[in-house]
PDB file of all heavy atoms in Angstrom:
ATOM      1  N   HIS A  81     135.072 107.456 136.151  1.00 98.00           N
ATOM      2  CA  HIS A  81     135.500 106.572 135.105  1.00 98.00           C
ATOM      3  C   HIS A  81     134.359 106.286 134.095  1.00 98.00           C
ATOM      4  O   HIS A  81     133.145 106.351 134.473  1.00 98.00           O
ATOM      5  CB  HIS A  81     136.078 105.309 135.686  1.00 98.00           C
ATOM      6  CG  HIS A  81     135.122 104.484 136.581  1.00 98.00           C
ATOM      7  ND1 HIS A  81     134.352 103.558 136.127  1.00 98.00           N
ATOM      8  CD2 HIS A  81     135.033 104.470 137.900  1.00 98.00           C
ATOM      9  CE1 HIS A  81     133.691 102.948 137.143  1.00 98.00           C
ATOM     10  NE2 HIS A  81     134.076 103.507 138.242  1.00 98.00           N
ATOM     11  N   ASP A 111     127.591 102.712 139.440  1.00 97.00           N
ATOM     12  CA  ASP A 111     129.048 102.706 139.378  1.00 97.00           C
ATOM     13  C   ASP A 111     129.504 102.847 137.875  1.00 97.00           C
ATOM     14  O   ASP A 111     129.520 101.858 137.203  1.00 97.00           O
ATOM     15  CB  ASP A 111     129.582 101.400 139.984  1.00 97.00           C
ATOM     16  CG  ASP A 111     131.072 101.326 140.023  1.00 97.00           C
ATOM     17  OD1 ASP A 111     131.752 102.326 139.734  1.00 97.00           O
ATOM     18  OD2 ASP A 111     131.562 100.256 140.350  1.00 97.00           O
ATOM     19  N   THR A 112     129.875 104.056 137.388  1.00 98.00           N
ATOM     20  CA  THR A 112     129.705 105.274 138.198  1.00 98.00           C
ATOM     21  C   THR A 112     129.173 106.430 137.324  1.00 98.00           C
ATOM     22  O   THR A 112     129.571 107.571 137.391  1.00 98.00           O
ATOM     23  CB  THR A 112     131.157 105.620 138.791  1.00 98.00           C
ATOM     24  OG1 THR A 112     131.002 106.295 140.016  1.00 98.00           O
ATOM     25  CG2 THR A 112     132.051 106.424 137.877  1.00 98.00           C
ATOM     26  N   GLU A 145     138.950 101.889 134.761  1.00 96.00           N
ATOM     27  CA  GLU A 145     139.135 101.929 136.185  1.00 96.00           C
ATOM     28  C   GLU A 145     138.889 100.517 136.785  1.00 96.00           C
ATOM     29  O   GLU A 145     139.477 100.091 137.740  1.00 96.00           O
ATOM     30  CB  GLU A 145     138.142 102.924 136.820  1.00 96.00           C
ATOM     31  CG  GLU A 145     138.404 103.133 138.358  1.00 96.00           C
ATOM     32  CD  GLU A 145     137.686 102.177 139.256  1.00 96.00           C
ATOM     33  OE1 GLU A 145     136.722 101.466 138.751  1.00 96.00           O
ATOM     34  OE2 GLU A 145     137.928 102.153 140.462  1.00 96.00           O
ATOM     35  N   GLU A 146     137.878  99.828 136.142  1.00 93.00           N
ATOM     36  CA  GLU A 146     137.460  98.518 136.732  1.00 93.00           C
ATOM     37  C   GLU A 146     138.477  97.388 136.675  1.00 93.00           C
ATOM     38  O   GLU A 146     138.378  96.434 137.308  1.00 93.00           O
ATOM     39  CB  GLU A 146     136.178  98.079 136.105  1.00 93.00           C
ATOM     40  CG  GLU A 146     134.967  99.005 136.348  1.00 93.00           C
ATOM     41  CD  GLU A 146     134.434  99.010 137.736  1.00 93.00           C
ATOM     42  OE1 GLU A 146     134.924  98.177 138.549  1.00 93.00           O
ATOM     43  OE2 GLU A 146     133.446  99.695 138.035  1.00 93.00           O
ATOM     44  N   GLU A 169     132.548 108.095 142.849  1.00 98.00           N
ATOM     45  CA  GLU A 169     132.160 106.700 143.049  1.00 98.00           C
ATOM     46  C   GLU A 169     130.974 106.713 143.976  1.00 98.00           C
ATOM     47  O   GLU A 169     130.827 107.677 144.749  1.00 98.00           O
ATOM     48  CB  GLU A 169     133.395 105.873 143.664  1.00 98.00           C
ATOM     49  CG  GLU A 169     134.603 105.758 142.810  1.00 98.00           C
ATOM     50  CD  GLU A 169     134.482 104.744 141.691  1.00 98.00           C
ATOM     51  OE1 GLU A 169     133.369 104.112 141.527  1.00 98.00           O
ATOM     52  OE2 GLU A 169     135.399 104.619 140.943  1.00 98.00           O
TER      53      GLU A 169
HETATM   54 ZN1  LIG B   1     133.549 102.630 140.091  1.00 61.25          ZN
END
Side-chain angles (χ1 to χ4, degrees):
H81 58 88
D111 184 9
T112 209
E145 189 271 349
E146 295 288 359
E169 294 285 358

